[in-house]
Amino acid sequence: MKPGERHVGLPGTSGSGRKYSGSTKDRMISLCIPLEEHISPFEIDLAVRPGESNLKSAIQDNNWVYNQVFRTHSPVVNPGFSVFRRALDDMDEELNSSWSIQILLLKCEGYRFPRNPHARIFETLCGTNFYGPMICTLNYNFEPYYLGDFTLNHYQRLAAFIEVSACQNFPTPQFSNLVTNGNGQQANLNRMRHSA
């Protein structure tokens, strides 16, 4: 791969030995979920230690990520980070229960970040709200643990899966029942108004 080219790989490929030329470090694609509404989520190419399983350590090894993604959002010069983890359900052949998603966030440290406008998919998946910019990647759930790629393609497939799941969990009511119930309820309200 030539310098500047983007690698888009399958989950788990960071443990497979893709190397930066002349380096002992592996490569991994993570997804940046920016706080700015006018900037879409984008992939970042990280150098990671072989077998790395901690996203916080991977980001600390790539300090350019702090400058590009987090620096302008935190009043703290050396902010702390927290990692939110959530096991995936079986969505497809690649995104399945063998993987967890890791989401790296800035710690509040006395400062409240705005809610992330691009985080709806992750909020639905994890059942919580996310604030500030985020970095997302996959983590293999079994030994040997390691981080895996999380690309824009994975993000889009996750969004489609969540949308389908939401429709299955909340089926569309029958229209005829709505009309009958709506008319009946409306008639009862009218009767209550006239009797008062």
Side-chain angles (χ1 to χ4, degrees):
M1 182 172 291
K2 296 175 186 165
E5 282 185 344
R6 277 258 142 106
H7 168 81
V8 178
L10 301 174
T13 53
S14 71
S16 67
R18 284 191 327 256
K19 305 279 185 214
Y20 284 110
S21 65
S23 172
T24 58
K25 294 200 172 183
D26 289 347
R27 302 172 64 138
M28 179 181 74
I29 301 294
S30 292
L31 194 67
C32 176
I33 313 295
L35 185 58
E36 296 81 7
E37 199 164 353
H38 66 280
I39 302 174
S40 298
F42 58 92
E43 294 174 355
I44 55 175
D45 194 353
L46 300 174
V48 294
R49 286 175 269 171
E52 179 67 75
S53 61
N54 186 316
L55 181 56
K56 195 186 299 187
S57 296
I59 296 301
Q60 288 169 344
D61 290 347
N62 291 270
N63 56 4
W64 63 269
V65 175
Y66 165 73
N67 290 327
Q68 183 178 346
V69 178
F70 298 107
R71 186 169 161 226
T72 58
H73 299 290
S74 178
V76 180
V77 175
N78 292 314
F81 294 96
S82 60
V83 176
F84 187 94
R85 292 175 178 86
R86 162 64 161 76
L88 294 178
D89 299 321
D90 286 327
M91 294 178 218
D92 60 33
E93 200 171 284
E94 287 182 55
L95 297 174
N96 56 53
S97 58
S98 296
W99 297 95
S100 293
I101 193 158
Q102 279 195 32
I103 303 171
L104 183 83
L105 306 153
L106 284 167
K107 285 187 178 176
C108 291
E109 299 179 306
Y111 179 76
R112 186 174 174 135
F113 301 105
R115 191 165 170 194
N116 192 313
H118 303 290
R120 184 189 62 79
I121 293 164
F122 300 104
E123 291 177 344
T124 304
L125 177 71
C126 301
T128 189
N129 294 333
F130 289 110
Y131 299 86
M134 306 161 31
I135 302 282
C136 304
T137 196
L138 294 177
N139 187 80
Y140 192 61
N141 289 335
F142 305 102
E143 290 187 27
Y145 305 107
Y146 56 90
L147 297 175
D149 293 345
F150 189 75
T151 66
L152 275 170
N153 180 281
H154 294 126
Y155 174 77
Q156 291 160 352
R157 290 189 358 238
L158 182 63
F161 177 81
I162 287 172
E163 188 174 317
V164 168
S165 296
C167 291
Q168 289 172 348
N169 291 335
F170 302 101
T172 306
Q174 295 298 319
F175 183 71
S176 59
N177 290 343
L178 283 176
V179 172
T180 305
N181 291 342
N183 288 340
Q185 290 172 355
Q186 187 63 41
N188 289 339
L189 283 173
N190 287 337
R191 266 189 242 124
M192 288 169 46
R193 285 188 195 129
H194 291 298
S195 64

